[in-house]
């Protein structure tokens, strides 16, 4: 018992000293504006189309002020685990000196399938490393980019009746509520930005359909979708599953299907490998939900080549 | 003898709360519990003045939280009623005039809002001494400054002058305490009122007048915020235990004490029976002036008076022990009713609505350890973890060791085998420890809303700093005991205090005025907290960090979307010269030229809405505190 006050004293002294050291060190772990400017210059000189920037830690969003606007920049909780299939090369801008930076944890999730192109370049406390993205796939088609050429309509499943949703230069707008349209937009799914096709289901036995002509055959056809924002967590009798699908418009064959059950958070994905002798075709992408009020679905469809890693 | 039994004292004087300690070469009053001398009285007022001045000096940089601007508006409405009372008193008492003035924001009682409004009338409208926001905030500074004063006085009586000084100095060095202390809100004031009630309760054992005052203070605490409703439950066991002991040798006093307990038990039982028979709606509807409800209340009031008078003659110690609770039972509801004009014509319905509102409070989304908490059940450890990650570690550690020392001594005093090892826990120490734990325990309940940072359990913090003060002095003296001559106790405690207070001051200076973003060294500061997945700010006050840029760059008459900043705050920023008067508020990114997004995990969608509306993902400026994004500004190309 006599030792306890001494133990308490040690605890207090250690706490005080460590706290002082922490405050003395903290400013030295932070980058300044000039560091960011140098990174911006470096990327302007060396980045090329198909590159993207990934921040580590994911929340170090200040970089957005200084980096070239043409470079896609990722700064969300999924930074370490995302495949970035569209990026051939990834520039990881990290701040390993920040408290709880967890560079090792990031590397554990991020590195598989990726090869550094060289040693990190340092700009003050910032570290920039370029990686060849082995998870990259050549993109033969992406619905968000081809939306202007799509034919969009509402399809009544009981009568088969179709109501056209004409293109107005920005979106295919359907008759009825203002949310019934198809357009590529920035939306939040599971706290991350998603460039996706806004395709809010009309409700009842009616589908919102977008038909994309001449979609080339490739190694993989992918449908990914999620419910936007906090609507994803909604459950209860007023919330029904959202059904999404990709059909072959000519044959009616169901190629891909997804169901977003109430309470499902995050991006859901389904893939279909190509079959031999498949040629270009028209894809019919659709969404439907019986009670669509809280089913704010956003989706994308892509025809992707083989993983880049196989070619390295 | 059990630990509870050891909550005894030889005499009711607070100076007997812990056994006296050796002088160790310094004046006894620095190390041992001491009575309040003239010097200490002056010192406590000096602490009050220093705290008030500090708050006044730093408040201008602090933005208006969403609730604060609502309280400004409510205060303005209150001040209009006071003006009406002055000019047309008869009209002011009508329910129509009362509703017109007091219906707005009737989810909170109005002691503070009335003071804010009167302060604004006097110091801004009449005297023109300060800007509008400062005038509203002045009463809040006074309440916040009361905490160091009371902490010092209580610490002096419990642990001595050195511990009292450390405790009183440390409270406002917790960045979130200082931040909340600046705001014209109720969280620090209710912490001050909680402390005041406990302080008066503690002193009531010396003199019955303190007991009566504690009843009055309880009423004012109820008029401050609903946290105070829990106070009688915290104090009841202490009063009961003290009274029981004091009547051990006075059978007639014991008899009266039992009668008093029976009175409250029967009244509570009958109220419960009424509620059961009538149902909640019927119970409320039939609670009128001439009703069984009123009769029961009157029986309790009269019975309390009669029995307390009897007890005074039969066992004065017991009388002083239970008087505070009797005073609270009678004066608490009376002060609460009288202070709030909104209750005057419809006391039951409107009080019931108020209580129901807080019993069924909505849950706001809250980011915690990487998970967005949206609805209960919330993690049991939330409050403890959040406290550990926000209180400067150099203050948190002595709080923990101080609390553990008291709890440990109480536990070791239970078995006969270990009882001799420890000094008994005094009544005052137990009172402090319980009050340090109860507010935390209440909010820790998984069904209680978890939002607002640390403000909901602020009433625990004055008691935790008291325990920290005791710990620091204990540790400093243990070092002095190991030095020759023992004359170094004073300097060593001083050095240790500086070592522990300096990092807190440094951290506060670093993060100020963005108080809701403050995180401790244990969290890794703000960057560490961001990586841990903690809420980094809330309620929009950090927008002040980008207002100068907006003032400089926004075109004349531009529509500005200040995300999360409500219309009242927008107006207040303009009224206080912090935002250009020609700028107009926009409802969303769609109708704006400039958007300032508040970076919250639950609001990420709002930033992407700006990207969508503006067609760019690149901001033009922002507020980044220790690298963490707080407010990000976009301009429509």
């Amino acid at each position: 018992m006599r030792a306890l006050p001494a133990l308490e004293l040690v605890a207090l002294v250690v706490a005080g000293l460590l706290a002082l050291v922490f405050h003395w060190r903290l400013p030295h772990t932070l980058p300044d504006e000039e560091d960011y400017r140098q990174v911006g210059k470096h990327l302007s000189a060396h980045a090329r189309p198909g590159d993207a920037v990934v921040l580590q830690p994911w929340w170090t969003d200040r970089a957005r002020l200084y980096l070239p606007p043409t470079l896609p920049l990722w700064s969300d909780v999924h930074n370490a685990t995302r495949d970035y299939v569209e990026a051939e090369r990834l520039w990881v801008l990290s701040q390993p000196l920040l408290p709880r930076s967890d560079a090792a944890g990031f590397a554990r999730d991020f590195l598989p399938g990726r090869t550094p192109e060289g040693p990190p370049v340092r700009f003050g406390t910032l570290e920039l490393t370029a990686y060849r993205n082995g998870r990259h796939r050549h993109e033969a088609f992406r619905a968000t980019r081809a939306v202007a050429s799509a034919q969009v309509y509402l399809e009544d499943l009981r009568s088969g009746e179709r109501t056209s949703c004409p293109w107005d230069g920005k979106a295919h707008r359907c008759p009825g509520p203002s949310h019934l349209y198809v357009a590529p937009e920035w939306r939040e799914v599971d706290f991350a930005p998603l460039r996706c096709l806004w395709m809010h289901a009309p409700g009842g036995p009616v589908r919102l359909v977008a038909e994309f002509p001449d979609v080339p055959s490739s190694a993989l056809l992918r449908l990914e979708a999620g419910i936007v924002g906090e609507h994803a967590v909604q459950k209860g009798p007023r919330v029904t599953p959202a059904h999404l699908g990709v059909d072959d418009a000519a044959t009616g064959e169901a190629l891909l299907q997804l169901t977003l059950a109430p309470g499902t958070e995050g991006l859901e994905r389904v893939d279909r490998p190509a079959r031999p002798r498949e040629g270009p075709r028209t894809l019919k992408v659709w969404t439907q939900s019986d009670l669509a009020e809280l089913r704010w679905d956003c989706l994308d469809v892509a025809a992707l080549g083989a993983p880049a890693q196989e070619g390295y | 003898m059990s630990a509870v039994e050891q909550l005894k004292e030889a005499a009711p004087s607070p100076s007997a709360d812990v056994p006296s300690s050796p002088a160790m070469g310094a004046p006894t009053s620095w190390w041992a519990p001491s009575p309040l001398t003239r010097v200490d009285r002056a010192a406590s007022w000096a602490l009050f003045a220093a705290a008030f001045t500090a708050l006044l000096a730093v408040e201008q940089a602090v933005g208006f939280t969403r609730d604060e601007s609502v309280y400004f508006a409510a205060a303005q409405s209150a001040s209009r009623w006071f003006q009406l009372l002055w000019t047309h008193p008869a009209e002011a008492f009508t329910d129509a005039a009362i509703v017109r003035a007091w219906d707005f924001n009737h989810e909170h009682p109005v002691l503070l809002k009335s003071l804010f409004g009167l302060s604004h009338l006097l110091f801004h409208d009449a005297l023109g001494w300060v800007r509008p926001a400062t005038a509203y905030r002045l009463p809040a500074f006074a309440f916040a400054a009361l905490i160091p004063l009371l902490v010092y006085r209580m610490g002096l009586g419990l642990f001595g002058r050195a511990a009292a000084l450390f405790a009183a100095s440390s409270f406002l060095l917790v960045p979130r305490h200082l931040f909340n202390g600046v705001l014209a809100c109720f969280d620090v004031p209710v912490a001050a009122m909680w402390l005041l009630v406990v302080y008066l309760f503690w002193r009531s054992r010396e003199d019955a007048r303190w007991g009566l005052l504690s009843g009055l203070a309880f009423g004012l605490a109820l008029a401050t915020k609903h946290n105070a409703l829990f106070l009688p439950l915290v104090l009841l066991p202490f009063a009961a235990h003290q009274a029981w002991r004091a009547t051990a040798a006075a059978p007639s006093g014991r008899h009266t004490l039992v009668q008093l307990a029976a009175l409250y038990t029967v009244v509570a039982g009958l109220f419960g029976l009424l509620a059961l028979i009538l149902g909640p709606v019927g119970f409320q509807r039939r609670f009128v002036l001439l009703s069984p409800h009123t009769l029961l209340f009157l029986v309790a009031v009269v019975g309390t008076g009669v029995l307390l008078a009897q007890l005074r003659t039969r066992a004065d110690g017991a009388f002083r022990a239970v008087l505070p609770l009797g005073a609270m039972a009678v004066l608490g509801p009376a002060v609460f009713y009288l202070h709030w004009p909104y209750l005057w014509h419809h006391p039951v319905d409107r009080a019931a609505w108020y209580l129901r509102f807080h019993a069924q409070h909505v849950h706001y989304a809250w980011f915690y350890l990487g998970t967005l908490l949206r609805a209960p059940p919330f993690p049991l450890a939330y409050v403890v973890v959040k406290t550990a990650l926000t209180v400067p570690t150099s203050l948190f550690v002595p709080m923990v060791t101080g609390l553990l020392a008291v709890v440990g001594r109480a536990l070791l005093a239970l078995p006969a085998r270990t009882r001799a090892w420890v000094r008994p826990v005094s009544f005052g120490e137990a009172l402090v420890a319980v009050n340090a734990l109860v507010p935390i325990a209440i909010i820790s309940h998984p069904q209680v809303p978890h939002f607002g940072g640390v403000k909901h359990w602020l009433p625990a913090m004055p008691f935790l700093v008291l325990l920290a003060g005791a710990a620091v002095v204990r540790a400093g003296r243990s070092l002095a005991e190991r030095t020759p001559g023992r004359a170094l106790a004073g300097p060593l405690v001083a050095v240790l205090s500086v070592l522990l207070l300096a990092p807190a001051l440094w951290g506060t200076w670093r993060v100020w005025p963005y108080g809701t973003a403050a995180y401790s060294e244990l969290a890794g500061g703000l960057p560490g907290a961001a990586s841990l997945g903690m809420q980094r700010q809330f309620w929009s006050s950090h927008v002040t960090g980008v207002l100068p840029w907006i003032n400089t760059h926004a075109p004349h008459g531009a529509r500005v979307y200040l995300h999360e900043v409500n219309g009242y705050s927008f107006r207040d920023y303009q009224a206080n010269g912090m935002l250009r008067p020609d700028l107009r508020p926009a409802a969303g990114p769609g109708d704006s030229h400039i958007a300032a997004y508040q970076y919250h995990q639950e609001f990420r969608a709002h930033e992407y809405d700006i990207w969508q509306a503006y067609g760019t993902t690149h901001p033009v400026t922002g507020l980044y505190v220790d690298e963490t994004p707080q407010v990000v500004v976009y301009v429509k190309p």
Side-chain angles (χ1 to χ4, degrees):
Chain A
M1 294 299 289
R2 284 175 178 276
L4 284 177
L7 206 62
E8 185 174 44
L9 172 68
V10 171
L12 265 50
V13 170
V14 168
L17 289 175
L18 287 180
L20 280 176
V21 170
F22 175 85
H23 287 293
W24 176 77
R25 279 204 64 228
L26 184 60
H28 303 289
T29 68
L30 306 172
D32 58 30
E33 276 196 42
E34 188 51 32
D35 299 335
Y36 274 120
R37 285 208 181 89
Q38 292 302 320
V39 172
K41 278 184 191 165
H42 185 89
L43 285 172
S44 296
H46 296 93
R48 56 181 184 246
D51 287 5
V53 179
V54 178
L55 300 181
Q56 194 282 318
W58 61 268
W59 49 265
T60 50
D61 221 24
R62 188 177 163 210
R64 204 174 278 282
L65 291 172
Y66 302 94
L67 302 196
T70 48
L71 262 181
L73 186 151
W74 295 91
S75 56
D76 62 77
V77 285
H78 306 294
N79 264 20
T81 53
R82 187 181 283 109
D83 284 339
Y84 304 101
V85 290
E86 68 283 10
E88 284 180 64
R89 185 167 59 168
L90 294 167
W91 296 86
V92 175
L93 181 60
S94 65
Q95 301 195 39
L97 298 182
L98 284 180
R100 298 188 187 276
S101 170
D102 193 24
F106 174 83
R108 190 177 54 243
D109 292 329
F110 178 82
L111 281 183
R114 283 154 187 157
T115 324
E117 289 195 338
V121 185
R122 289 191 172 78
F123 305 89
T125 60
L126 299 171
E127 250 184 42
L128 186 67
T129 314
Y131 291 88
R132 295 187 80 180
N133 183 18
R135 303 186 216 171
H136 165 68
R137 286 170 178 264
H138 169 72
E139 204 171 88
F141 166 82
R142 188 164 279 277
T144 43
R145 296 201 183 105
V147 69
S149 64
Q151 185 193 349
V152 178
Y153 55 87
L154 296 169
E155 181 182 42
D156 191 318
L157 295 175
R158 293 159 301 191
S159 61
E161 184 187 342
R162 292 181 175 189
T163 307
S164 178
C165 305
W167 175 250
D168 68 1
K170 286 184 178 172
H172 296 274
R173 297 199 183 277
C174 305
S178 61
H179 61 256
L180 280 186
Y181 65 91
V182 176
E185 293 189 340
W186 283 110
R187 292 286 181 174
E188 183 240 296
V189 174
D190 201 16
F191 310 112
L194 183 68
R195 188 73 181 163
C196 54
L197 275 190
W198 173 257
M199 282 187 73
H200 193 301
V206 181
R207 284 175 171 177
L208 176 58
V209 179
E211 286 192 6
F212 295 88
D214 302 323
V215 177
S217 173
S218 58
L220 198 71
L221 187 64
R222 170 169 289 176
L223 166 65
E224 51 189 8
I227 300 292
V228 167
E230 62 185 351
H231 301 289
V233 297
Q234 305 281 349
K235 290 181 187 173
R238 295 285 308 155
V239 188
T240 55
H243 303 286
L244 307 96
V246 180
D247 299 346
D248 185 320
T251 65
E253 180 192 359
L255 304 175
L256 296 166
Q257 277 205 355
L258 261 180
T259 296
L260 303 175
T264 305
E265 290 185 78
L267 199 60
E268 296 287 304
R269 177 186 294 168
V270 58
D271 290 338
R272 178 183 181 274
R275 293 179 187 159
R277 293 184 298 281
E278 281 183 338
R281 60 184 157 195
T282 298
L283 293 183
K284 178 179 173 180
V285 182
W286 56 266
T287 64
Q288 185 272 330
S289 185
D290 292 341
L291 296 169
E293 198 179 326
L294 298 170
R295 306 278 79 193
W296 289 30
D297 40 12
C298 209
L299 61 88
D300 207 353
V301 177
L304 302 169
Q309 202 172 22
E310 292 171 13
Y312 290 161
Chain B
M1 190 166 60
S2 72
V4 174
E5 285 171 322
Q6 294 202 34
L7 304 179
K8 65 176 182 178
E9 281 183 284
S13 163
S15 65
D17 250 311
V18 290
S20 60
S21 309
M24 297 182 59
T28 306
S29 61
W30 281 95
W31 312 115
S34 308
L36 191 67
T37 63
R38 186 186 289 180
V39 170
D40 293 305
R41 198 169 280 120
S44 67
W45 280 110
L47 284 164
F48 175 91
F52 189 94
T53 308
L55 290 161
L56 184 61
V58 300
E59 67 88 20
Q60 288 232 355
V62 176
F64 311 130
T65 54
R66 289 172 64 83
D67 52 346
E68 190 185 30
S69 278
V70 170
Y71 303 148
F72 286 170
Q76 208 165 28
S77 186
S79 66
R80 280 196 294 269
W81 185 82
F82 284 115
Q83 286 169 307
L84 184 71
L85 184 65
W86 184 255
T87 55
H88 301 85
E91 188 192 338
F93 284 101
T94 64
D95 194 44
I98 285 171
V99 168
R100 205 161 49 241
W102 301 100
D103 187 60
F104 179 68
N105 188 239
H106 62 265
E107 50 265 47
H108 290 291
V110 296
L111 174 64
L112 266 293
K113 287 181 282 188
S114 301
L115 294 175
F116 298 158
L118 291 170
S119 172
H120 181 260
L121 267 183
L122 179 63
F123 294 109
H124 178 73
D125 290 349
L127 300 172
W129 286 357
V130 289
R131 65 177 188 148
T134 308
Y136 286 125
R137 285 172 168 176
L138 285 172
F141 303 165
F143 275 80
L146 203 57
I147 292 177
L149 181 151
L150 292 170
V151 162
Y152 181 82
R153 290 187 176 198
M154 197 163 183
L156 181 74
L158 287 171
F159 307 115
R161 194 180 281 165
L165 258 183
F166 180 90
S169 309
S170 60
F171 181 80
L172 285 177
L173 287 181
V174 176
R176 292 188 182 226
H177 295 178
L178 186 66
F179 176 81
N180 281 289
V182 157
L183 302 177
C185 294
F186 319 130
D187 302 290
V188 168
V190 81
M193 293 309 295
W194 186 299
L195 177 62
L196 178 65
V197 172
V198 174
Y199 175 76
L200 295 170
F201 172 81
W202 173 63
R203 294 205 64 180
S204 69
R205 293 165 309 133
E206 302 167 34
D207 188 327
R209 280 175 299 184
W210 295 109
L212 283 175
L213 284 176
S214 72
L216 187 64
F218 173 64
L220 294 174
L222 287 177
T224 302
K225 204 177 175 189
H226 59 278
N227 309 48
L229 288 164
F230 293 96
L231 264 166
L233 301 177
V234 181
L235 300 179
L236 177 64
F238 288 94
H241 177 260
Q242 286 287 100
W244 193 257
R245 287 189 60 83
T247 55
S252 62
R254 175 71 59 91
H255 181 68
T256 308
L257 193 64
V258 171
Q259 283 180 318
L260 195 60
L263 170 72
Y264 277 88
T265 308
V266 169
V267 167
L270 289 174
F271 263 118
L273 195 64
L274 270 179
L276 204 67
I277 294 168
L278 301 173
V281 177
F283 181 84
Q284 184 180 323
R285 199 177 57 241
R286 297 195 188 184
F287 197 158
V288 292
L289 189 59
L290 296 176
S291 66
H293 311 60
T294 315
L295 180 66
L296 281 175
F297 182 70
L298 284 175
V299 166
V301 170
V302 173
T304 301
V306 169
L307 291 171
L308 280 177
Q310 275 183 17
L311 196 60
R312 187 176 198 178
T313 59
R314 292 171 179 174
D316 190 50
F319 166 72
R320 278 182 275 134
V322 297
L323 177 64
L325 287 174
M328 287 182 200
V330 176
L331 294 177
V335 172
F336 182 70
Y337 170 73
L338 290 173
H339 102 282
W340 198 350
Y342 193 65
L343 300 182
W344 290 352
H345 292 273
H346 301 281
V348 175
D349 289 346
R350 290 177 183 172
W353 183 93
Y354 161 70
L355 294 173
R356 207 162 36 240
F357 173 85
H358 291 286
Q360 302 168 353
H361 200 286
V362 293
H363 301 281
Y364 302 137
W366 199 253
F367 201 37
Y368 172 71
L369 294 180
T371 302
L372 195 67
L373 308 176
R374 295 180 194 271
F378 298 112
L380 192 62
Y382 171 87
V383 176
V384 173
V385 171
K386 186 84 181 177
T387 305
L389 297 182
T390 54
V391 173
T393 306
S394 58
L395 298 181
F396 181 70
V397 170
M399 285 177 187
V400 171
T401 61
L403 185 61
L404 285 178
V406 175
V407 173
R409 277 164 50 207
L411 291 176
L412 285 171
L414 286 173
R417 194 167 54 85
T418 55
R419 194 166 301 151
W421 297 1
V422 291
R423 187 162 45 84
V425 172
S426 72
F427 177 87
E429 285 178 302
L431 191 63
V432 168
V434 166
N435 279 282
L437 287 171
V438 167
I440 285 174
I442 292 167
I443 306 297
S444 292
H445 190 287
Q447 297 297 322
V448 172
H450 284 42
F451 61 85
V454 301
K455 70 189 189 108
H456 290 156
W457 62 93
L458 280 178
M461 303 314 287
F463 300 97
L464 280 170
V465 295
L466 275 168
L467 294 170
V472 170
V473 170
R474 187 169 50 238
R477 295 183 71 201
S478 84
L479 182 60
E481 279 172 3
R482 289 165 172 76
T483 57
R486 295 188 172 192
L488 292 172
L492 285 174
V493 170
V495 168
L496 183 61
S497 298
V498 170
L499 177 67
L500 297 172
L501 294 173
L505 180 62
W506 197 344
T508 303
W509 170 79
R510 186 163 185 83
V511 80
W512 196 257
Y514 309 116
T516 61
Y519 277 92
S520 70
E521 299 84 358
L522 191 63
L526 197 39
S531 287
L532 280 172
M534 300 296 286
Q535 187 89 18
R536 278 166 260 153
Q537 59 156 335
F538 51 93
W539 292 349
S540 81
S541 61
H542 299 186
V543 76
T544 50
V546 299
L547 294 184
W549 189 95
I550 292 174
N551 287 331
T552 305
H553 294 88
H556 183 81
R559 294 184 75 86
V560 181
Y561 170 49
L562 299 182
H563 168 232
E564 267 291 276
V565 174
N566 63 30
Y568 295 111
S569 298
F570 197 101
R571 180 200 63 183
D572 291 330
Y573 285 125
Q574 292 184 316
N576 286 274
M578 299 165 83
L579 184 65
R580 268 177 25 209
D582 62 289
L583 300 176
R584 294 168 297 158
D591 67 341
S592 65
H593 302 104
I594 294 175
Y597 159 72
Q598 301 266 339
Y599 192 106
H600 291 217
Q601 190 69 353
E602 77 272 24
F603 291 148
R604 294 312 305 271
H606 294 258
E607 184 171 26
Y608 309 146
D609 288 348
I610 296 168
W611 292 5
Q612 181 61 31
Y614 284 13
T616 178
T617 61
H618 279 254
V620 291
T621 188
L623 171 68
Y624 302 87
V625 183
D626 285 346
E627 206 53 19
T628 60
Q630 302 283 324
V631 184
V632 187
V633 179
Y634 291 86
V635 172
K636 189 178 267 182

